[in-house]
Each structure stands twice: as C-alpha cells, then as structure tokens.
Amino acid sequence: MENNSFDINVQLNIETLQSGELTHTKISEPGKFTQIGNSIYLRFNESLENNDKASILVKITEKGEIHVKRVAKSTNLASLLYFTHQEHNTGHLETEYGVLPLDTYTKDSKVEIVSNPLSGKINIDYDLIYDNNVIGNYKFRLIFGA
C-alpha cells in the first residue's frame, strides 16, 4: 500500500447563499496531502475567533466521491458531508444537542490533481438540505499546491 505525504498550501473559498443573503469564507492555511492506496486526503485547519481552530479533512475516493469533515471542538460542532456528482447524499451535523441529518445534492463537482509539481483543484457546487428543504446553496473552491 502506497503512503505518500506532502506539505501543501491550501486556499479555500466558499460562497454561501442562504435566505437570499450571500456570504464568502476564505481560508488560506498550510496543510498536508496524503495518498493512501487510491484515496487522497487533504488536512488543514480553519482559523476561528479567539485563536481557536477547526480541523478540516477532505477525502477523495478512487470513485471520485468527495467527503468533507469539519470539527470545531471549541464550538462543539462537527459535520461530515458527502458529495457525488449529480447525486443526493446523506451526511450529518453533530451539535451538543444531538445529531442533525443533513443531505447534499451535488449539482457539479470536479477534481483535478497534477503530480509534478503537486497541485490541484476541487470544485463542488451543492445544495444543503435539512428535512427535505434546501437551506443553502454553496460553491466550494479548494486550490492546493506543494
């Protein structure tokens, strides 16, 4: 089994449209690219207020599915969302009050990775769905390089 790990720089831009309000989140952090077998893992942190951070893990499976896990211990929030091109998936949000099921509908997804020099792009356009209602439209744009 192959296990290659490299230091990378990550740029993540997320555009969110919820209740008619458009917001932008930008993250620029060092991270780690790891390949285990045919799966790829990107790990990095998101800086939060009060010197806190959330850890983010993006996994790309050999079938092209994308899993995004975000854990913010300081706010007791953890989410795990799954993305498959033009399909519905079930994920969840863990809060101190319990687990909320969250669904995603991936309108578009694209992964491009180049090995020399190591760099890549992950684009996901998706709807976030709770209780059969779309609660937000998202554009996830991650760019990384060694």
Side-chain angles (χ1 to χ4, degrees):
M1 185 185 293
E2 223 177 308
N3 184 346
N4 297 314
S5 194
F6 301 95
D7 291 328
I8 56 170
N9 289 310
V10 176
Q11 303 263 336
L12 175 60
N13 294 307
I14 301 172
E15 185 179 286
T16 307
L17 180 60
Q18 283 182 313
S19 305
E21 187 176 325
L22 187 62
T23 57
H24 295 272
T25 304
K26 290 184 186 244
I27 299 169
S28 183
E29 297 282 346
K32 197 64 101 174
F33 171 101
T34 305
Q35 182 170 353
I36 300 173
N38 291 321
S39 294
I40 291 169
Y41 300 84
L42 303 173
R43 296 177 194 273
F44 57 97
N45 291 322
E46 174 186 358
S47 296
L48 304 173
E49 295 176 6
N50 303 323
N51 289 329
D52 284 332
K53 65 183 184 211
S55 61
I56 298 175
L57 172 66
V58 178
K59 176 183 178 183
I60 302 150
T61 69
E62 64 182 286
K63 295 178 184 172
E65 296 171 349
I66 304 164
H67 307 173
V68 178
K69 182 177 185 177
R70 182 181 181 274
V71 178
K73 289 187 173 138
S74 62
T75 58
N76 292 320
L77 290 174
S79 61
L80 181 56
L81 300 176
Y82 300 94
F83 305 97
T84 308
H85 187 72
Q86 296 189 335
E87 288 187 24
H88 286 270
N89 285 289
T90 300
H92 63 269
L93 173 67
E94 296 174 32
T95 73
E96 57 190 301
Y97 305 107
V99 178
L100 294 173
L102 289 175
D103 295 330
T104 56
Y105 175 69
T106 309
K107 295 185 265 192
D108 193 26
S109 64
K110 188 174 187 180
V111 175
E112 295 176 14
I113 296 175
V114 178
S115 57
N116 196 5
L118 178 63
S119 63
K121 287 186 220 175
I122 301 167
N123 292 346
I124 311 169
D125 293 353
Y126 68 98
D127 291 335
L128 191 61
I129 303 161
Y130 175 71
D131 198 23
N132 292 320
N133 294 304
V134 174
I135 57 173
N137 311 106
Y138 293 79
K139 291 183 187 293
F140 177 101
R141 302 289 182 265
L142 188 147
I143 300 171
F144 69 89

